[in-house]
Amino acid sequence: EMSEMSERSKQNVAHGLAWSYYVGYLKIVLPRVKKSMEVFSRANPNMLACRETWKLHILVPLSCDVYDDLEKADSNIQYLTDLNETTLTRAGTKKRVYKHSLYAIRDEDNKLWHCAVEYATPLQSLYAMSRDECAAFSREDRLEQAKLFYRTLEEILKGSKECAGTYRLIAYE
């Protein structure tokens, strides 16, 4: 009965998405991010001078509006290149490729920062659910689920020893 009530009120969507994102993606890629940044830095010593940015910056827009092209989302962001790929066999897919894009980001003081940035992709599912009649997911539901997704993911990552110091979650409205 509790499970049925939870499903009807859609309380478990964000929780499940956060765990899936962590177990199926972040737990795989985050431990490899620093090594990838090191390799890139050796080949391009002037670009990644600030080790503080040697982590994956994960954008969490609470609107769930995710752009495919970060440069179109913000003119202060410029794509530079991709970091080295990680190739693994996962869930029946041979040579599955994981990679991150490196961007130059201009801050309010006009200083350039180089870092790997991407959206939390499960937010696309929340956005799509709010636009699909079958899901019956309102804009308010979406906002609540986005907040719950962020809090759940933050809690999961805080407890993950292998991911410590490899990410920065950035929630915004």
Short mmCIF file of all heavy atoms in Angstrom, two decimals, residues 57-111:
data_model
loop_
_atom_site.label_atom_id
_atom_site.label_comp_id
_atom_site.label_asym_id
_atom_site.label_seq_id
_atom_site.Cartn_x
_atom_site.Cartn_y
_atom_site.Cartn_z
N HIS A 57 32.39 19.18 -13.30
CA HIS A 57 31.41 20.16 -12.83
C HIS A 57 30.05 19.74 -13.40
O HIS A 57 29.86 19.76 -14.62
CB HIS A 57 31.80 21.56 -13.27
CG HIS A 57 33.09 22.02 -12.66
ND1 HIS A 57 34.32 21.51 -13.03
CD2 HIS A 57 33.34 22.90 -11.67
CE1 HIS A 57 35.26 22.07 -12.30
NE2 HIS A 57 34.70 22.92 -11.48
N ILE A 58 29.16 19.34 -12.51
CA ILE A 58 27.86 18.80 -12.91
C ILE A 58 26.78 19.86 -12.68
O ILE A 58 26.52 20.26 -11.55
CB ILE A 58 27.52 17.53 -12.11
CG1 ILE A 58 28.64 16.49 -12.28
CG2 ILE A 58 26.17 16.96 -12.54
CD1 ILE A 58 28.57 15.34 -11.28
N LEU A 59 26.19 20.32 -13.78
CA LEU A 59 25.16 21.35 -13.72
C LEU A 59 23.80 20.73 -13.43
O LEU A 59 23.40 19.76 -14.07
CB LEU A 59 25.10 22.12 -15.04
CG LEU A 59 26.39 22.79 -15.50
CD1 LEU A 59 26.19 23.44 -16.87
CD2 LEU A 59 26.87 23.80 -14.47
N VAL A 60 23.09 21.32 -12.46
CA VAL A 60 21.77 20.84 -12.07
C VAL A 60 20.79 22.02 -12.12
O VAL A 60 20.49 22.63 -11.10
CB VAL A 60 21.79 20.21 -10.66
CG1 VAL A 60 20.42 19.65 -10.30
CG2 VAL A 60 22.87 19.13 -10.55
N PRO A 61 20.28 22.35 -13.32
CA PRO A 61 19.28 23.42 -13.39
C PRO A 61 17.96 22.90 -12.82
O PRO A 61 17.45 21.86 -13.26
CB PRO A 61 19.17 23.70 -14.89
CG PRO A 61 19.61 22.43 -15.56
CD PRO A 61 20.60 21.79 -14.63
N LEU A 62 17.42 23.59 -11.83
CA LEU A 62 16.20 23.11 -11.18
C LEU A 62 14.99 23.16 -12.12
O LEU A 62 13.99 22.49 -11.89
CB LEU A 62 15.95 23.89 -9.89
CG LEU A 62 17.04 23.70 -8.84
CD1 LEU A 62 16.75 24.55 -7.60
CD2 LEU A 62 17.23 22.24 -8.46
N SER A 63 15.10 23.92 -13.20
CA SER A 63 14.05 23.94 -14.23
C SER A 63 14.07 22.66 -15.06
O SER A 63 13.13 22.37 -15.79
CB SER A 63 14.25 25.13 -15.16
OG SER A 63 15.43 24.93 -15.94
N CYS A 64 15.16 21.92 -14.97
CA CYS A 64 15.41 20.70 -15.77
C CYS A 64 15.59 21.00 -17.24
O CYS A 64 15.59 20.11 -18.08
CB CYS A 64 14.31 19.65 -15.58
SG CYS A 64 14.16 19.06 -13.90
N ASP A 65 15.74 22.27 -17.57
CA ASP A 65 15.96 22.68 -18.96
C ASP A 65 17.44 22.52 -19.28
O ASP A 65 18.27 23.30 -18.83
CB ASP A 65 15.50 24.13 -19.15
CG ASP A 65 15.26 24.47 -20.59
OD1 ASP A 65 15.38 23.57 -21.45
OD2 ASP A 65 14.95 25.64 -20.88
N VAL A 66 17.75 21.48 -20.03
CA VAL A 66 19.12 21.10 -20.34
C VAL A 66 19.41 21.41 -21.80
O VAL A 66 18.69 20.97 -22.69
CB VAL A 66 19.32 19.58 -20.07
CG1 VAL A 66 20.67 19.11 -20.56
CG2 VAL A 66 19.15 19.29 -18.58
N TYR A 67 20.46 22.18 -22.02
CA TYR A 67 20.87 22.51 -23.39
C TYR A 67 21.84 21.44 -23.90
O TYR A 67 22.69 20.97 -23.15
CB TYR A 67 21.60 23.86 -23.43
CG TYR A 67 20.71 25.05 -23.20
CD1 TYR A 67 20.38 25.44 -21.91
CD2 TYR A 67 20.23 25.78 -24.28
CE1 TYR A 67 19.57 26.54 -21.70
CE2 TYR A 67 19.42 26.89 -24.06
CZ TYR A 67 19.09 27.26 -22.78
OH TYR A 67 18.29 28.35 -22.56
N ASP A 68 21.72 21.09 -25.16
CA ASP A 68 22.69 20.16 -25.75
C ASP A 68 24.02 20.86 -26.00
O ASP A 68 25.07 20.24 -25.99
CB ASP A 68 22.16 19.58 -27.06
CG ASP A 68 21.02 18.59 -26.80
OD1 ASP A 68 21.03 17.93 -25.74
OD2 ASP A 68 20.12 18.50 -27.65
N ASP A 69 23.98 22.16 -26.21
CA ASP A 69 25.17 22.94 -26.50
C ASP A 69 25.35 24.02 -25.42
O ASP A 69 24.58 24.98 -25.37
CB ASP A 69 25.02 23.60 -27.88
CG ASP A 69 26.28 24.26 -28.37
OD1 ASP A 69 27.19 24.53 -27.56
OD2 ASP A 69 26.36 24.52 -29.59
N LEU A 70 26.33 23.83 -24.56
CA LEU A 70 26.57 24.77 -23.46
C LEU A 70 26.88 26.18 -23.95
O LEU A 70 26.55 27.16 -23.28
CB LEU A 70 27.72 24.28 -22.57
CG LEU A 70 27.37 23.21 -21.56
CD1 LEU A 70 28.63 22.70 -20.88
CD2 LEU A 70 26.39 23.73 -20.54
N GLU A 71 27.50 26.28 -25.10
CA GLU A 71 27.84 27.60 -25.64
C GLU A 71 26.59 28.41 -25.97
O GLU A 71 26.60 29.63 -25.91
CB GLU A 71 28.72 27.45 -26.88
CG GLU A 71 30.10 26.91 -26.55
CD GLU A 71 30.89 26.54 -27.79
OE1 GLU A 71 30.37 25.76 -28.62
OE2 GLU A 71 32.03 27.01 -27.92
N LYS A 72 25.49 27.72 -26.31
CA LYS A 72 24.24 28.41 -26.60
C LYS A 72 23.52 28.79 -25.30
O LYS A 72 22.73 29.72 -25.27
CB LYS A 72 23.34 27.53 -27.47
CG LYS A 72 23.86 27.45 -28.89
CD LYS A 72 22.88 26.76 -29.80
CE LYS A 72 23.43 26.80 -31.22
NZ LYS A 72 23.37 25.55 -31.90
N ALA A 73 23.81 28.05 -24.23
CA ALA A 73 23.20 28.34 -22.94
C ALA A 73 23.80 29.59 -22.31
O ALA A 73 23.10 30.34 -21.63
CB ALA A 73 23.37 27.15 -22.00
N ASP A 74 25.09 29.81 -22.53
CA ASP A 74 25.77 30.94 -21.89
C ASP A 74 26.95 31.37 -22.76
O ASP A 74 27.83 30.58 -23.07
CB ASP A 74 26.28 30.51 -20.51
CG ASP A 74 26.81 31.67 -19.68
OD1 ASP A 74 27.34 32.64 -20.25
OD2 ASP A 74 26.72 31.57 -18.45
N SER A 75 26.98 32.64 -23.12
CA SER A 75 28.04 33.14 -24.01
C SER A 75 29.41 33.20 -23.32
O SER A 75 30.42 33.40 -23.97
CB SER A 75 27.67 34.52 -24.55
OG SER A 75 27.52 35.43 -23.47
N ASN A 76 29.44 33.02 -21.99
CA ASN A 76 30.71 33.00 -21.26
C ASN A 76 31.37 31.62 -21.26
O ASN A 76 32.40 31.44 -20.63
CB ASN A 76 30.49 33.46 -19.81
CG ASN A 76 30.10 34.91 -19.74
OD1 ASN A 76 30.80 35.77 -20.27
ND2 ASN A 76 28.96 35.18 -19.12
N ILE A 77 30.73 30.68 -21.92
CA ILE A 77 31.25 29.31 -21.99
C ILE A 77 31.68 29.01 -23.41
O ILE A 77 30.92 29.22 -24.36
CB ILE A 77 30.18 28.29 -21.53
CG1 ILE A 77 29.74 28.59 -20.10
CG2 ILE A 77 30.71 26.87 -21.66
CD1 ILE A 77 28.58 27.74 -19.62
N GLN A 78 32.90 28.50 -23.56
CA GLN A 78 33.41 28.15 -24.88
C GLN A 78 34.01 26.74 -24.85
O GLN A 78 34.86 26.45 -24.02
CB GLN A 78 34.47 29.16 -25.31
CG GLN A 78 35.00 28.89 -26.70
CD GLN A 78 36.11 29.86 -27.08
OE1 GLN A 78 36.54 30.70 -26.31
NE2 GLN A 78 36.59 29.71 -28.31
N TYR A 79 33.54 25.91 -25.76
CA TYR A 79 34.07 24.55 -25.89
C TYR A 79 35.52 24.61 -26.36
O TYR A 79 35.86 25.37 -27.27
CB TYR A 79 33.23 23.75 -26.89
CG TYR A 79 33.83 22.44 -27.28
CD1 TYR A 79 33.75 21.33 -26.45
CD2 TYR A 79 34.52 22.30 -28.49
CE1 TYR A 79 34.32 20.11 -26.81
CE2 TYR A 79 35.09 21.10 -28.85
CZ TYR A 79 34.98 20.01 -28.01
OH TYR A 79 35.55 18.81 -28.37
N LEU A 80 36.39 23.80 -25.75
CA LEU A 80 37.79 23.72 -26.16
C LEU A 80 38.11 22.41 -26.86
O LEU A 80 38.55 22.39 -28.00
CB LEU A 80 38.72 23.89 -24.95
CG LEU A 80 38.68 25.24 -24.25
CD1 LEU A 80 39.54 25.22 -23.00
CD2 LEU A 80 39.14 26.33 -25.20
N THR A 81 37.88 21.32 -26.15
CA THR A 81 38.23 20.00 -26.70
C THR A 81 37.63 18.93 -25.79
O THR A 81 37.00 19.23 -24.79
CB THR A 81 39.77 19.84 -26.78
OG1 THR A 81 40.07 18.65 -27.50
CG2 THR A 81 40.41 19.79 -25.40
N ASP A 82 37.84 17.68 -26.15
CA ASP A 82 37.42 16.57 -25.30
C ASP A 82 38.63 16.00 -24.59
O ASP A 82 39.73 15.96 -25.15
CB ASP A 82 36.75 15.47 -26.13
CG ASP A 82 35.40 15.90 -26.68
OD1 ASP A 82 34.69 16.66 -25.97
OD2 ASP A 82 35.03 15.47 -27.78
N LEU A 83 38.41 15.55 -23.36
CA LEU A 83 39.47 14.85 -22.63
C LEU A 83 39.58 13.44 -23.17
O LEU A 83 38.72 12.99 -23.94
CB LEU A 83 39.15 14.83 -21.14
CG LEU A 83 39.12 16.20 -20.45
CD1 LEU A 83 38.60 16.06 -19.03
CD2 LEU A 83 40.50 16.83 -20.45
N ASN A 84 40.63 12.72 -22.76
CA ASN A 84 40.81 11.34 -23.22
C ASN A 84 39.59 10.49 -22.87
O ASN A 84 39.01 10.64 -21.80
CB ASN A 84 42.05 10.72 -22.57
CG ASN A 84 43.32 11.35 -23.09
OD1 ASN A 84 43.32 12.06 -24.09
ND2 ASN A 84 44.42 11.10 -22.40
N GLU A 85 39.26 9.59 -23.77
CA GLU A 85 38.12 8.71 -23.58
C GLU A 85 38.47 7.56 -22.65
O GLU A 85 39.61 7.13 -22.59
CB GLU A 85 37.70 8.10 -24.93
CG GLU A 85 37.24 9.10 -25.95
CD GLU A 85 36.94 8.47 -27.30
OE1 GLU A 85 37.30 7.28 -27.51
OE2 GLU A 85 36.36 9.15 -28.14
N THR A 86 37.45 7.06 -21.97
CA THR A 86 37.55 5.81 -21.22
C THR A 86 36.68 4.83 -21.97
O THR A 86 35.52 5.14 -22.27
CB THR A 86 37.03 5.99 -19.78
OG1 THR A 86 37.87 6.92 -19.10
CG2 THR A 86 37.03 4.68 -19.03
N THR A 87 37.20 3.67 -22.29
CA THR A 87 36.44 2.67 -23.02
C THR A 87 36.31 1.42 -22.15
O THR A 87 37.31 0.86 -21.71
CB THR A 87 37.14 2.32 -24.36
OG1 THR A 87 37.36 3.54 -25.08
CG2 THR A 87 36.31 1.38 -25.20
N LEU A 88 35.06 1.00 -21.92
CA LEU A 88 34.78 -0.17 -21.09
C LEU A 88 33.69 -1.01 -21.74
O LEU A 88 32.87 -0.49 -22.51
CB LEU A 88 34.27 0.27 -19.71
CG LEU A 88 35.14 1.18 -18.87
CD1 LEU A 88 34.34 1.70 -17.68
CD2 LEU A 88 36.36 0.43 -18.39
N THR A 89 33.65 -2.28 -21.42
CA THR A 89 32.54 -3.12 -21.83
C THR A 89 31.52 -3.07 -20.70
O THR A 89 31.83 -3.38 -19.55
CB THR A 89 33.00 -4.57 -22.09
OG1 THR A 89 33.91 -4.55 -23.19
CG2 THR A 89 31.83 -5.48 -22.41
N ARG A 90 30.29 -2.62 -21.01
CA ARG A 90 29.24 -2.45 -19.99
C ARG A 90 27.91 -2.95 -20.51
O ARG A 90 27.48 -2.55 -21.60
CB ARG A 90 29.06 -0.97 -19.64
CG ARG A 90 30.15 -0.33 -18.87
CD ARG A 90 30.05 -0.46 -17.38
NE ARG A 90 28.83 0.10 -16.87
CZ ARG A 90 28.35 -0.20 -15.67
NH1 ARG A 90 28.96 -1.04 -14.91
NH2 ARG A 90 27.24 0.34 -15.24
N ALA A 91 27.28 -3.80 -19.74
CA ALA A 91 25.90 -4.24 -20.00
C ALA A 91 25.71 -4.75 -21.43
O ALA A 91 24.70 -4.45 -22.06
CB ALA A 91 24.92 -3.12 -19.68
N GLY A 92 26.67 -5.49 -21.92
CA GLY A 92 26.55 -6.08 -23.26
C GLY A 92 27.07 -5.21 -24.38
O GLY A 92 27.12 -5.64 -25.53
N THR A 93 27.46 -3.99 -24.08
CA THR A 93 28.02 -3.11 -25.11
C THR A 93 29.54 -3.17 -25.05
O THR A 93 30.14 -2.80 -24.04
CB THR A 93 27.56 -1.65 -24.91
OG1 THR A 93 26.14 -1.61 -24.96
CG2 THR A 93 28.12 -0.74 -25.99
N LYS A 94 30.13 -3.67 -26.10
CA LYS A 94 31.59 -3.74 -26.18
C LYS A 94 32.14 -2.35 -26.47
O LYS A 94 31.57 -1.60 -27.24
CB LYS A 94 32.03 -4.69 -27.30
CG LYS A 94 31.48 -6.09 -27.17
CD LYS A 94 32.47 -6.95 -26.46
CE LYS A 94 31.95 -8.39 -26.46
NZ LYS A 94 32.47 -9.12 -25.35
N LYS A 95 33.22 -2.03 -25.82
CA LYS A 95 33.93 -0.77 -26.06
C LYS A 95 33.03 0.47 -25.91
O LYS A 95 33.04 1.37 -26.73
CB LYS A 95 34.59 -0.78 -27.43
CG LYS A 95 35.61 -1.89 -27.59
CD LYS A 95 36.21 -1.89 -28.97
CE LYS A 95 37.15 -3.08 -29.13
NZ LYS A 95 37.64 -3.22 -30.48
N ARG A 96 32.23 0.50 -24.83
CA ARG A 96 31.41 1.68 -24.56
C ARG A 96 32.35 2.84 -24.23
O ARG A 96 33.29 2.69 -23.48
CB ARG A 96 30.47 1.42 -23.39
CG ARG A 96 29.63 2.65 -23.06
CD ARG A 96 28.46 2.32 -22.21
NE ARG A 96 27.49 1.57 -23.02
CZ ARG A 96 26.29 1.22 -22.61
NH1 ARG A 96 25.90 1.52 -21.41
NH2 ARG A 96 25.47 0.55 -23.39
N VAL A 97 32.09 4.00 -24.81
CA VAL A 97 32.98 5.16 -24.66
C VAL A 97 32.38 6.17 -23.67
O VAL A 97 31.20 6.52 -23.77
CB VAL A 97 33.21 5.86 -26.03
CG1 VAL A 97 34.01 7.14 -25.86
CG2 VAL A 97 33.91 4.91 -26.99
N TYR A 98 33.21 6.60 -22.74
CA TYR A 98 32.86 7.67 -21.80
C TYR A 98 33.87 8.79 -22.01
O TYR A 98 35.07 8.53 -22.03
CB TYR A 98 32.97 7.18 -20.35
CG TYR A 98 32.02 6.05 -20.01
CD1 TYR A 98 32.40 4.72 -20.20
CD2 TYR A 98 30.75 6.31 -19.52
CE1 TYR A 98 31.53 3.69 -19.88
CE2 TYR A 98 29.88 5.28 -19.20
CZ TYR A 98 30.29 3.97 -19.39
OH TYR A 98 29.43 2.94 -19.08
N LYS A 99 33.38 10.00 -22.19
CA LYS A 99 34.30 11.12 -22.37
C LYS A 99 33.67 12.38 -21.81
O LYS A 99 32.46 12.45 -21.60
CB LYS A 99 34.69 11.31 -23.82
CG LYS A 99 33.58 11.80 -24.72
CD LYS A 99 34.08 12.02 -26.13
CE LYS A 99 32.96 12.54 -27.00
NZ LYS A 99 33.40 12.89 -28.31
N HIS A 100 34.53 13.36 -21.57
CA HIS A 100 34.08 14.64 -21.03
C HIS A 100 34.64 15.76 -21.89
O HIS A 100 35.74 15.66 -22.42
CB HIS A 100 34.56 14.81 -19.59
CG HIS A 100 34.15 13.68 -18.72
ND1 HIS A 100 32.86 13.50 -18.30
CD2 HIS A 100 34.86 12.64 -18.23
CE1 HIS A 100 32.79 12.41 -17.58
NE2 HIS A 100 33.99 11.86 -17.52
N SER A 101 33.87 16.82 -22.00
CA SER A 101 34.29 17.98 -22.77
C SER A 101 34.90 19.02 -21.85
O SER A 101 34.42 19.25 -20.74
CB SER A 101 33.10 18.58 -23.52
OG SER A 101 32.62 17.65 -24.47
N LEU A 102 35.96 19.64 -22.35
CA LEU A 102 36.65 20.69 -21.61
C LEU A 102 36.19 22.03 -22.16
O LEU A 102 36.14 22.23 -23.38
CB LEU A 102 38.16 20.52 -21.79
CG LEU A 102 39.05 21.37 -20.90
CD1 LEU A 102 38.90 20.96 -19.44
CD2 LEU A 102 40.50 21.22 -21.32
N TYR A 103 35.87 22.95 -21.25
CA TYR A 103 35.38 24.27 -21.63
C TYR A 103 36.23 25.36 -21.00
O TYR A 103 36.83 25.16 -19.94
CB TYR A 103 33.93 24.47 -21.16
CG TYR A 103 32.94 23.63 -21.91
CD1 TYR A 103 32.61 22.35 -21.49
CD2 TYR A 103 32.33 24.12 -23.06
CE1 TYR A 103 31.70 21.58 -22.18
CE2 TYR A 103 31.41 23.36 -23.76
CZ TYR A 103 31.10 22.08 -23.31
OH TYR A 103 30.20 21.33 -24.01
N ALA A 104 36.25 26.50 -21.64
CA ALA A 104 36.82 27.72 -21.06
C ALA A 104 35.62 28.54 -20.60
O ALA A 104 34.70 28.80 -21.38
CB ALA A 104 37.63 28.49 -22.09
N ILE A 105 35.64 28.92 -19.33
CA ILE A 105 34.53 29.68 -18.77
C ILE A 105 35.05 31.01 -18.25
O ILE A 105 35.99 31.05 -17.45
CB ILE A 105 33.83 28.88 -17.64
CG1 ILE A 105 33.32 27.55 -18.21
CG2 ILE A 105 32.71 29.70 -17.03
CD1 ILE A 105 32.73 26.63 -17.20
N ARG A 106 34.43 32.07 -18.72
CA ARG A 106 34.83 33.42 -18.30
C ARG A 106 33.97 33.83 -17.11
O ARG A 106 32.75 33.82 -17.19
CB ARG A 106 34.64 34.39 -19.47
CG ARG A 106 35.22 35.76 -19.23
CD ARG A 106 35.22 36.62 -20.49
NE ARG A 106 35.86 36.00 -21.64
CZ ARG A 106 37.19 35.91 -21.84
NH1 ARG A 106 37.99 36.39 -20.93
NH2 ARG A 106 37.68 35.35 -22.92
N ASP A 107 34.64 34.20 -16.00
CA ASP A 107 33.88 34.59 -14.81
C ASP A 107 33.57 36.09 -14.84
O ASP A 107 33.91 36.79 -15.80
CB ASP A 107 34.60 34.18 -13.52
CG ASP A 107 35.89 34.95 -13.24
OD1 ASP A 107 36.15 35.99 -13.89
OD2 ASP A 107 36.65 34.52 -12.36
N GLU A 108 32.93 36.59 -13.77
CA GLU A 108 32.51 38.00 -13.74
C GLU A 108 33.68 38.97 -13.73
O GLU A 108 33.53 40.14 -14.06
CB GLU A 108 31.58 38.28 -12.55
CG GLU A 108 32.16 37.98 -11.17
CD GLU A 108 32.05 36.51 -10.76
OE1 GLU A 108 31.41 35.72 -11.48
OE2 GLU A 108 32.61 36.17 -9.71
N ASP A 109 34.89 38.49 -13.35
CA ASP A 109 36.10 39.33 -13.38
C ASP A 109 36.86 39.19 -14.70
O ASP A 109 38.01 39.61 -14.81
CB ASP A 109 37.02 38.97 -12.22
CG ASP A 109 36.37 39.23 -10.87
OD1 ASP A 109 35.60 40.21 -10.78
OD2 ASP A 109 36.60 38.44 -9.94
N ASN A 110 36.23 38.52 -15.68
CA ASN A 110 36.81 38.32 -17.00
C ASN A 110 37.99 37.33 -16.99
O ASN A 110 38.78 37.31 -17.92
CB ASN A 110 37.21 39.65 -17.63
CG ASN A 110 36.95 39.65 -19.12
OD1 ASN A 110 36.08 38.93 -19.61
ND2 ASN A 110 37.72 40.43 -19.85
N LYS A 111 38.11 36.54 -15.93
CA LYS A 111 39.17 35.54 -15.84
C LYS A 111 38.68 34.23 -16.45
O LYS A 111 37.52 33.86 -16.29
CB LYS A 111 39.55 35.33 -14.37
CG LYS A 111 40.68 34.35 -14.20
CD LYS A 111 41.12 34.21 -12.77
CE LYS A 111 42.27 33.19 -12.73
NZ LYS A 111 42.63 32.81 -11.40
#
